[in-house]
Amino acid sequence: MSLRLGLPIAAGLLVADQASKWWILEVARLPEVGHIPLLEAGPFGLDLTMVWNRGVTFGLLSGDGPWHHLVLALLAAAIALFLLRWMARAENRLTAVALGAVVGGAIGNVIDRIRFGAVVDFVDTHAWGWHWYVFNVADAAIVCGVAALIADALFQPKAEPKEGP
């Protein structure tokens, strides 16, 4: 049952991620434009800003070596396979959905690394002159999925230990 719940979530997020990146690259042409302001509400703002992320989360482990993007793609694919195995054994719906979000996001970013040698990041949020890391739909899915897994682990009722024979 866990896979029947988690896999459609992963597939839907993967499609949304890749469609948003296609739109950013082919319709909005953000690599050429560079920056599109979207929303300004007092000190808060939301823009589209083109960033090619050659690292992992928040640009960690970035590099330009000829095999660097393939090594990161293989690492992410291996993690996605581990998470799929976990999803198959998930004990509750929240875990299955959260793992689906993480897997869908991870595969979306793997596709970018293989296609472009970097991940397409474009959502730029800011407040009071401070900009958060530029991210994409896949990144948001991964962060929300991990947050749900942590919440589930912290707040899930613990099973009562069984008393002797």
Side-chain angles (χ1 to χ4, degrees), residues 47-132:
D47 304 330
L48 299 178
T49 302
M50 187 64 216
V51 173
W52 291 102
N53 183 353
R54 300 197 185 287
V56 292
T57 305
F58 308 127
L60 298 172
L61 304 177
S62 56
D64 285 326
W67 297 99
H68 186 263
H69 68 283
L70 289 176
V71 169
L72 290 178
L74 287 172
L75 178 63
I79 291 168
L81 287 173
F82 168 78
L83 295 174
L84 280 170
R85 186 167 181 229
W86 182 7
M87 185 192 306
R89 298 174 179 184
E91 295 180 6
N92 61 51
R93 296 170 61 85
L94 178 59
T95 300
V97 168
L99 289 168
V102 175
V103 168
I107 293 171
N109 284 342
V110 165
I111 290 170
D112 285 10
R113 288 187 196 292
I114 292 169
R115 285 184 66 202
F116 307 117
V119 174
V120 178
D121 286 339
F122 54 89
V123 179
D124 181 11
T125 58
H126 52 91
W128 295 285
W130 182 77
H131 289 257
W132 183 247

Side-chain angles (χ1 to χ4, degrees), residues 2 5 7-8 13 17 26 32-33 42 52 55 65 68 82 89 92 94 99 105-106 125-126 137 149 159-160:
S2 303
L5 185 58
L7 286 178
L13 284 165
D17 175 65
E26 301 298 329
E32 291 118 38
V33 175
W52 291 102
H68 186 263
F82 168 78
R89 298 174 179 184
N92 61 51
L94 178 59
L99 289 168
T125 58
H126 52 91
V137 172
L149 289 171
E160 293 293 323

Side-chain angles (χ1 to χ4, degrees), residues 139-155:
D139 297 335
I142 291 168
V143 168
C144 290
V146 168
L149 289 171
I150 291 170
D152 183 54
L154 291 175
F155 302 115

